[in-house]
Amino acid sequence: MSVSKEPVHMRTSNYLHYKDYIGSIAFSEEDAVFHGKVVGIKSLISFEGDSVSAITEDFHSAVDEYLDFCDQNGKQPEKPFKGSFNVRIGADLHRMAALAASSRGISLNSLVEDAIRQNVAM
């Protein structure tokens, strides 16, 4: 298996955006339906439709229903991509990364952020 060194470009045609939420889209040839789920949160919010307009409408409805449910139950809605996540790596790589950051006079977080930025198109 080879890993590309090229930046990853998010194909926006595979995602829907609504009220700060992003939904992934896939197509099931067997069922002849588009389906998706909201990404970046723990709650499962799914949606589907047999056309672009139908899946878009169901996505909007699913997000609105989730927000209404949270409001009615006094629950704080999850916010996707809040800027913090855990990364688990081997101890040797952790040590090498920490030493590389230290030798450059930057934090480990800055080193990781720079590495991600180099591999993701913004």
PDB file of all heavy atoms in Angstrom, residues 49-79:
ATOM      1  N   GLY A  49     -32.222  10.148   0.522  1.00  0.00           N
ATOM      2  CA  GLY A  49     -33.114  10.659  -0.511  1.00  0.00           C
ATOM      3  C   GLY A  49     -32.785  10.041  -1.842  1.00  0.00           C
ATOM      4  O   GLY A  49     -31.680   9.553  -2.040  1.00  0.00           O
ATOM      5  N   ASP A  50     -33.747  10.086  -2.757  1.00  0.00           N
ATOM      6  CA  ASP A  50     -33.533   9.477  -4.070  1.00  0.00           C
ATOM      7  C   ASP A  50     -33.145  10.496  -5.141  1.00  0.00           C
ATOM      8  O   ASP A  50     -33.080  10.177  -6.316  1.00  0.00           O
ATOM      9  CB  ASP A  50     -34.760   8.671  -4.508  1.00  0.00           C
ATOM     10  CG  ASP A  50     -36.019   9.516  -4.596  1.00  0.00           C
ATOM     11  OD1 ASP A  50     -35.948  10.742  -4.391  1.00  0.00           O
ATOM     12  OD2 ASP A  50     -37.091   8.928  -4.866  1.00  0.00           O
ATOM     13  N   SER A  51     -32.876  11.739  -4.682  1.00  0.00           N
ATOM     14  CA  SER A  51     -32.400  12.776  -5.597  1.00  0.00           C
ATOM     15  C   SER A  51     -31.580  13.778  -4.793  1.00  0.00           C
ATOM     16  O   SER A  51     -31.598  13.751  -3.554  1.00  0.00           O
ATOM     17  CB  SER A  51     -33.581  13.499  -6.257  1.00  0.00           C
ATOM     18  OG  SER A  51     -34.296  14.254  -5.289  1.00  0.00           O
ATOM     19  N   VAL A  52     -30.907  14.668  -5.486  1.00  0.00           N
ATOM     20  CA  VAL A  52     -30.113  15.683  -4.802  1.00  0.00           C
ATOM     21  C   VAL A  52     -31.011  16.552  -3.930  1.00  0.00           C
ATOM     22  O   VAL A  52     -30.703  16.814  -2.764  1.00  0.00           O
ATOM     23  CB  VAL A  52     -29.314  16.539  -5.810  1.00  0.00           C
ATOM     24  CG1 VAL A  52     -28.640  17.710  -5.112  1.00  0.00           C
ATOM     25  CG2 VAL A  52     -28.296  15.683  -6.540  1.00  0.00           C
ATOM     26  N   SER A  53     -32.130  16.987  -4.479  1.00  0.00           N
ATOM     27  CA  SER A  53     -33.027  17.843  -3.685  1.00  0.00           C
ATOM     28  C   SER A  53     -33.625  17.082  -2.513  1.00  0.00           C
ATOM     29  O   SER A  53     -33.760  17.636  -1.415  1.00  0.00           O
ATOM     30  CB  SER A  53     -34.119  18.447  -4.563  1.00  0.00           C
ATOM     31  OG  SER A  53     -34.893  17.441  -5.161  1.00  0.00           O
ATOM     32  N   ALA A  54     -33.938  15.805  -2.684  1.00  0.00           N
ATOM     33  CA  ALA A  54     -34.527  15.018  -1.592  1.00  0.00           C
ATOM     34  C   ALA A  54     -33.522  14.785  -0.462  1.00  0.00           C
ATOM     35  O   ALA A  54     -33.869  14.904   0.723  1.00  0.00           O
ATOM     36  CB  ALA A  54     -35.055  13.685  -2.120  1.00  0.00           C
ATOM     37  N   ILE A  55     -32.277  14.456  -0.802  1.00  0.00           N
ATOM     38  CA  ILE A  55     -31.299  14.216   0.266  1.00  0.00           C
ATOM     39  C   ILE A  55     -30.941  15.523   0.967  1.00  0.00           C
ATOM     40  O   ILE A  55     -30.737  15.553   2.174  1.00  0.00           O
ATOM     41  CB  ILE A  55     -30.040  13.467  -0.232  1.00  0.00           C
ATOM     42  CG1 ILE A  55     -29.246  12.943   0.984  1.00  0.00           C
ATOM     43  CG2 ILE A  55     -29.194  14.326  -1.129  1.00  0.00           C
ATOM     44  CD1 ILE A  55     -28.137  11.989   0.661  1.00  0.00           C
ATOM     45  N   THR A  56     -30.887  16.619   0.216  1.00  0.00           N
ATOM     46  CA  THR A  56     -30.610  17.924   0.821  1.00  0.00           C
ATOM     47  C   THR A  56     -31.714  18.296   1.804  1.00  0.00           C
ATOM     48  O   THR A  56     -31.445  18.720   2.928  1.00  0.00           O
ATOM     49  CB  THR A  56     -30.459  19.004  -0.264  1.00  0.00           C
ATOM     50  OG1 THR A  56     -29.385  18.642  -1.135  1.00  0.00           O
ATOM     51  CG2 THR A  56     -30.181  20.363   0.344  1.00  0.00           C
ATOM     52  N   GLU A  57     -32.950  18.112   1.387  1.00  0.00           N
ATOM     53  CA  GLU A  57     -34.094  18.414   2.259  1.00  0.00           C
ATOM     54  C   GLU A  57     -34.083  17.531   3.508  1.00  0.00           C
ATOM     55  O   GLU A  57     -34.306  18.013   4.617  1.00  0.00           O
ATOM     56  CB  GLU A  57     -35.398  18.214   1.488  1.00  0.00           C
ATOM     57  CG  GLU A  57     -36.631  18.584   2.277  1.00  0.00           C
ATOM     58  CD  GLU A  57     -37.908  18.425   1.465  1.00  0.00           C
ATOM     59  OE1 GLU A  57     -37.882  18.709   0.258  1.00  0.00           O
ATOM     60  OE2 GLU A  57     -38.918  18.008   2.062  1.00  0.00           O
ATOM     61  N   ASP A  58     -33.793  16.235   3.351  1.00  0.00           N
ATOM     62  CA  ASP A  58     -33.770  15.336   4.503  1.00  0.00           C
ATOM     63  C   ASP A  58     -32.606  15.662   5.437  1.00  0.00           C
ATOM     64  O   ASP A  58     -32.730  15.560   6.654  1.00  0.00           O
ATOM     65  CB  ASP A  58     -33.717  13.877   4.050  1.00  0.00           C
ATOM     66  CG  ASP A  58     -34.173  12.917   5.135  1.00  0.00           C
ATOM     67  OD1 ASP A  58     -35.209  13.197   5.783  1.00  0.00           O
ATOM     68  OD2 ASP A  58     -33.499  11.895   5.345  1.00  0.00           O
ATOM     69  N   PHE A  59     -31.469  16.064   4.874  1.00  0.00           N
ATOM     70  CA  PHE A  59     -30.326  16.490   5.686  1.00  0.00           C
ATOM     71  C   PHE A  59     -30.704  17.701   6.535  1.00  0.00           C
ATOM     72  O   PHE A  59     -30.486  17.713   7.747  1.00  0.00           O
ATOM     73  CB  PHE A  59     -29.131  16.807   4.788  1.00  0.00           C
ATOM     74  CG  PHE A  59     -27.972  17.458   5.480  1.00  0.00           C
ATOM     75  CD1 PHE A  59     -27.335  16.854   6.551  1.00  0.00           C
ATOM     76  CD2 PHE A  59     -27.475  18.680   5.029  1.00  0.00           C
ATOM     77  CE1 PHE A  59     -26.243  17.455   7.180  1.00  0.00           C
ATOM     78  CE2 PHE A  59     -26.392  19.283   5.646  1.00  0.00           C
ATOM     79  CZ  PHE A  59     -25.773  18.668   6.724  1.00  0.00           C
ATOM     80  N   HIS A  60     -31.300  18.704   5.917  1.00  0.00           N
ATOM     81  CA  HIS A  60     -31.728  19.902   6.659  1.00  0.00           C
ATOM     82  C   HIS A  60     -32.727  19.529   7.750  1.00  0.00           C
ATOM     83  O   HIS A  60     -32.613  19.995   8.883  1.00  0.00           O
ATOM     84  CB  HIS A  60     -32.344  20.927   5.706  1.00  0.00           C
ATOM     85  CG  HIS A  60     -31.353  21.549   4.779  1.00  0.00           C
ATOM     86  ND1 HIS A  60     -31.670  22.638   3.997  1.00  0.00           N
ATOM     87  CD2 HIS A  60     -30.066  21.250   4.483  1.00  0.00           C
ATOM     88  CE1 HIS A  60     -30.614  22.982   3.267  1.00  0.00           C
ATOM     89  NE2 HIS A  60     -29.639  22.149   3.549  1.00  0.00           N
ATOM     90  N   SER A  61     -33.680  18.674   7.422  1.00  0.00           N
ATOM     91  CA  SER A  61     -34.679  18.247   8.403  1.00  0.00           C
ATOM     92  C   SER A  61     -34.032  17.487   9.561  1.00  0.00           C
ATOM     93  O   SER A  61     -34.399  17.685  10.723  1.00  0.00           O
ATOM     94  CB  SER A  61     -35.736  17.353   7.746  1.00  0.00           C
ATOM     95  OG  SER A  61     -36.491  18.078   6.824  1.00  0.00           O
ATOM     96  N   ALA A  62     -33.075  16.616   9.247  1.00  0.00           N
ATOM     97  CA  ALA A  62     -32.407  15.830  10.289  1.00  0.00           C
ATOM     98  C   ALA A  62     -31.639  16.737  11.252  1.00  0.00           C
ATOM     99  O   ALA A  62     -31.686  16.548  12.474  1.00  0.00           O
ATOM    100  CB  ALA A  62     -31.475  14.801   9.656  1.00  0.00           C
ATOM    101  N   VAL A  63     -30.936  17.727  10.720  1.00  0.00           N
ATOM    102  CA  VAL A  63     -30.197  18.671  11.565  1.00  0.00           C
ATOM    103  C   VAL A  63     -31.175  19.487  12.411  1.00  0.00           C
ATOM    104  O   VAL A  63     -30.987  19.637  13.624  1.00  0.00           O
ATOM    105  CB  VAL A  63     -29.284  19.591  10.728  1.00  0.00           C
ATOM    106  CG1 VAL A  63     -28.718  20.732  11.580  1.00  0.00           C
ATOM    107  CG2 VAL A  63     -28.149  18.786  10.101  1.00  0.00           C
ATOM    108  N   ASP A  64     -32.241  19.992  11.788  1.00  0.00           N
ATOM    109  CA  ASP A  64     -33.235  20.772  12.523  1.00  0.00           C
ATOM    110  C   ASP A  64     -33.886  19.938  13.629  1.00  0.00           C
ATOM    111  O   ASP A  64     -34.086  20.428  14.750  1.00  0.00           O
ATOM    112  CB  ASP A  64     -34.305  21.329  11.581  1.00  0.00           C
ATOM    113  CG  ASP A  64     -33.790  22.460  10.708  1.00  0.00           C
ATOM    114  OD1 ASP A  64     -32.774  23.100  11.074  1.00  0.00           O
ATOM    115  OD2 ASP A  64     -34.405  22.701   9.649  1.00  0.00           O
ATOM    116  N   GLU A  65     -34.213  18.677  13.341  1.00  0.00           N
ATOM    117  CA  GLU A  65     -34.815  17.799  14.352  1.00  0.00           C
ATOM    118  C   GLU A  65     -33.841  17.558  15.504  1.00  0.00           C
ATOM    119  O   GLU A  65     -34.242  17.541  16.673  1.00  0.00           O
ATOM    120  CB  GLU A  65     -35.230  16.476  13.723  1.00  0.00           C
ATOM    121  CG  GLU A  65     -36.442  16.586  12.834  1.00  0.00           C
ATOM    122  CD  GLU A  65     -36.735  15.306  12.063  1.00  0.00           C
ATOM    123  OE1 GLU A  65     -36.178  14.230  12.404  1.00  0.00           O
ATOM    124  OE2 GLU A  65     -37.516  15.383  11.089  1.00  0.00           O
ATOM    125  N   TYR A  66     -32.572  17.365  15.193  1.00  0.00           N
ATOM    126  CA  TYR A  66     -31.551  17.176  16.229  1.00  0.00           C
ATOM    127  C   TYR A  66     -31.461  18.417  17.120  1.00  0.00           C
ATOM    128  O   TYR A  66     -31.472  18.308  18.349  1.00  0.00           O
ATOM    129  CB  TYR A  66     -30.198  16.873  15.584  1.00  0.00           C
ATOM    130  CG  TYR A  66     -29.037  16.916  16.546  1.00  0.00           C
ATOM    131  CD1 TYR A  66     -28.880  15.937  17.523  1.00  0.00           C
ATOM    132  CD2 TYR A  66     -28.094  17.945  16.489  1.00  0.00           C
ATOM    133  CE1 TYR A  66     -27.818  15.973  18.414  1.00  0.00           C
ATOM    134  CE2 TYR A  66     -27.033  17.986  17.370  1.00  0.00           C
ATOM    135  CZ  TYR A  66     -26.898  17.001  18.334  1.00  0.00           C
ATOM    136  OH  TYR A  66     -25.842  17.050  19.224  1.00  0.00           O
ATOM    137  N   LEU A  67     -31.417  19.588  16.509  1.00  0.00           N
ATOM    138  CA  LEU A  67     -31.321  20.832  17.277  1.00  0.00           C
ATOM    139  C   LEU A  67     -32.582  21.058  18.118  1.00  0.00           C
ATOM    140  O   LEU A  67     -32.498  21.483  19.274  1.00  0.00           O
ATOM    141  CB  LEU A  67     -31.057  22.014  16.352  1.00  0.00           C
ATOM    142  CG  LEU A  67     -29.701  21.988  15.631  1.00  0.00           C
ATOM    143  CD1 LEU A  67     -29.619  23.104  14.601  1.00  0.00           C
ATOM    144  CD2 LEU A  67     -28.551  22.058  16.615  1.00  0.00           C
ATOM    145  N   ASP A  68     -33.760  20.752  17.561  1.00  0.00           N
ATOM    146  CA  ASP A  68     -35.014  20.862  18.319  1.00  0.00           C
ATOM    147  C   ASP A  68     -35.027  19.893  19.494  1.00  0.00           C
ATOM    148  O   ASP A  68     -35.440  20.247  20.600  1.00  0.00           O
ATOM    149  CB  ASP A  68     -36.223  20.597  17.418  1.00  0.00           C
ATOM    150  CG  ASP A  68     -36.504  21.722  16.437  1.00  0.00           C
ATOM    151  OD1 ASP A  68     -35.961  22.846  16.630  1.00  0.00           O
ATOM    152  OD2 ASP A  68     -37.244  21.477  15.469  1.00  0.00           O
ATOM    153  N   PHE A  69     -34.577  18.640  19.261  1.00  0.00           N
ATOM    154  CA  PHE A  69     -34.515  17.640  20.332  1.00  0.00           C
ATOM    155  C   PHE A  69     -33.618  18.132  21.468  1.00  0.00           C
ATOM    156  O   PHE A  69     -33.979  18.032  22.642  1.00  0.00           O
ATOM    157  CB  PHE A  69     -33.991  16.307  19.783  1.00  0.00           C
ATOM    158  CG  PHE A  69     -33.730  15.286  20.850  1.00  0.00           C
ATOM    159  CD1 PHE A  69     -34.759  14.499  21.346  1.00  0.00           C
ATOM    160  CD2 PHE A  69     -32.445  15.112  21.362  1.00  0.00           C
ATOM    161  CE1 PHE A  69     -34.514  13.564  22.345  1.00  0.00           C
ATOM    162  CE2 PHE A  69     -32.197  14.178  22.356  1.00  0.00           C
ATOM    163  CZ  PHE A  69     -33.231  13.401  22.854  1.00  0.00           C
ATOM    164  N   CYS A  70     -32.453  18.648  21.113  1.00  0.00           N
ATOM    165  CA  CYS A  70     -31.528  19.157  22.127  1.00  0.00           C
ATOM    166  C   CYS A  70     -32.160  20.305  22.903  1.00  0.00           C
ATOM    167  O   CYS A  70     -32.092  20.338  24.137  1.00  0.00           O
ATOM    168  CB  CYS A  70     -30.217  19.614  21.478  1.00  0.00           C
ATOM    169  SG  CYS A  70     -29.202  18.269  20.856  1.00  0.00           S
ATOM    170  N   ASP A  71     -32.803  21.219  22.200  1.00  0.00           N
ATOM    171  CA  ASP A  71     -33.447  22.362  22.839  1.00  0.00           C
ATOM    172  C   ASP A  71     -34.561  21.913  23.786  1.00  0.00           C
ATOM    173  O   ASP A  71     -34.653  22.383  24.923  1.00  0.00           O
ATOM    174  CB  ASP A  71     -34.006  23.307  21.766  1.00  0.00           C
ATOM    175  CG  ASP A  71     -34.548  24.595  22.356  1.00  0.00           C
ATOM    176  OD1 ASP A  71     -33.824  25.231  23.163  1.00  0.00           O
ATOM    177  OD2 ASP A  71     -35.690  24.956  22.019  1.00  0.00           O
ATOM    178  N   GLN A  72     -35.405  20.987  23.347  1.00  0.00           N
ATOM    179  CA  GLN A  72     -36.523  20.508  24.156  1.00  0.00           C
ATOM    180  C   GLN A  72     -36.066  19.731  25.381  1.00  0.00           C
ATOM    181  O   GLN A  72     -36.788  19.651  26.377  1.00  0.00           O
ATOM    182  CB  GLN A  72     -37.456  19.641  23.319  1.00  0.00           C
ATOM    183  CG  GLN A  72     -38.200  20.409  22.260  1.00  0.00           C
ATOM    184  CD  GLN A  72     -38.972  19.511  21.314  1.00  0.00           C
ATOM    185  OE1 GLN A  72     -39.056  18.303  21.498  1.00  0.00           O
ATOM    186  NE2 GLN A  72     -39.533  20.108  20.261  1.00  0.00           N
ATOM    187  N   ASN A  73     -34.873  19.132  25.315  1.00  0.00           N
ATOM    188  CA  ASN A  73     -34.375  18.308  26.421  1.00  0.00           C
ATOM    189  C   ASN A  73     -33.274  18.988  27.225  1.00  0.00           C
ATOM    190  O   ASN A  73     -32.620  18.333  28.040  1.00  0.00           O
ATOM    191  CB  ASN A  73     -33.903  16.959  25.881  1.00  0.00           C
ATOM    192  CG  ASN A  73     -35.057  16.124  25.393  1.00  0.00           C
ATOM    193  OD1 ASN A  73     -35.786  15.550  26.198  1.00  0.00           O
ATOM    194  ND2 ASN A  73     -35.265  16.074  24.085  1.00  0.00           N
ATOM    195  N   GLY A  74     -33.069  20.268  26.983  1.00  0.00           N
ATOM    196  CA  GLY A  74     -32.056  21.012  27.723  1.00  0.00           C
ATOM    197  C   GLY A  74     -30.647  20.499  27.508  1.00  0.00           C
ATOM    198  O   GLY A  74     -29.785  20.638  28.367  1.00  0.00           O
ATOM    199  N   LYS A  75     -30.415  19.912  26.357  1.00  0.00           N
ATOM    200  CA  LYS A  75     -29.101  19.338  26.023  1.00  0.00           C
ATOM    201  C   LYS A  75     -28.355  20.296  25.102  1.00  0.00           C
ATOM    202  O   LYS A  75     -28.940  20.883  24.190  1.00  0.00           O
ATOM    203  CB  LYS A  75     -29.323  17.993  25.329  1.00  0.00           C
ATOM    204  CG  LYS A  75     -28.054  17.294  24.915  1.00  0.00           C
ATOM    205  CD  LYS A  75     -28.367  15.991  24.192  1.00  0.00           C
ATOM    206  CE  LYS A  75     -27.085  15.385  23.672  1.00  0.00           C
ATOM    207  NZ  LYS A  75     -27.331  14.208  22.847  1.00  0.00           N
ATOM    208  N   GLN A  76     -27.079  20.467  25.340  1.00  0.00           N
ATOM    209  CA  GLN A  76     -26.241  21.304  24.469  1.00  0.00           C
ATOM    210  C   GLN A  76     -25.929  20.518  23.193  1.00  0.00           C
ATOM    211  O   GLN A  76     -25.367  19.426  23.269  1.00  0.00           O
ATOM    212  CB  GLN A  76     -24.952  21.677  25.199  1.00  0.00           C
ATOM    213  CG  GLN A  76     -24.087  22.659  24.473  1.00  0.00           C
ATOM    214  CD  GLN A  76     -24.710  24.048  24.434  1.00  0.00           C
ATOM    215  OE1 GLN A  76     -25.503  24.410  25.268  1.00  0.00           O
ATOM    216  NE2 GLN A  76     -24.355  24.807  23.427  1.00  0.00           N
ATOM    217  N   PRO A  77     -26.284  21.039  22.009  1.00  0.00           N
ATOM    218  CA  PRO A  77     -25.961  20.317  20.768  1.00  0.00           C
ATOM    219  C   PRO A  77     -24.451  20.188  20.587  1.00  0.00           C
ATOM    220  O   PRO A  77     -23.702  21.091  20.943  1.00  0.00           O
ATOM    221  CB  PRO A  77     -26.545  21.189  19.660  1.00  0.00           C
ATOM    222  CG  PRO A  77     -27.414  22.182  20.324  1.00  0.00           C
ATOM    223  CD  PRO A  77     -26.974  22.292  21.753  1.00  0.00           C
ATOM    224  N   GLU A  78     -24.039  19.064  20.052  1.00  0.00           N
ATOM    225  CA  GLU A  78     -22.613  18.880  19.770  1.00  0.00           C
ATOM    226  C   GLU A  78     -22.194  19.818  18.647  1.00  0.00           C
ATOM    227  O   GLU A  78     -22.927  20.031  17.695  1.00  0.00           O
ATOM    228  CB  GLU A  78     -22.338  17.443  19.323  1.00  0.00           C
ATOM    229  CG  GLU A  78     -22.517  16.417  20.407  1.00  0.00           C
ATOM    230  CD  GLU A  78     -22.244  15.023  19.874  1.00  0.00           C
ATOM    231  OE1 GLU A  78     -21.066  14.755  19.523  1.00  0.00           O
ATOM    232  OE2 GLU A  78     -23.181  14.235  19.797  1.00  0.00           O
ATOM    233  N   LYS A  79     -21.015  20.365  18.780  1.00  0.00           N
ATOM    234  CA  LYS A  79     -20.432  21.211  17.750  1.00  0.00           C
ATOM    235  C   LYS A  79     -19.351  20.399  17.039  1.00  0.00           C
ATOM    236  O   LYS A  79     -18.429  19.884  17.673  1.00  0.00           O
ATOM    237  CB  LYS A  79     -19.817  22.479  18.346  1.00  0.00           C
ATOM    238  CG  LYS A  79     -20.831  23.393  18.978  1.00  0.00           C
ATOM    239  CD  LYS A  79     -21.736  23.985  17.934  1.00  0.00           C
ATOM    240  CE  LYS A  79     -22.738  24.922  18.555  1.00  0.00           C
ATOM    241  NZ  LYS A  79     -23.788  25.280  17.632  1.00  0.00           N
TER     242      LYS A  79
END
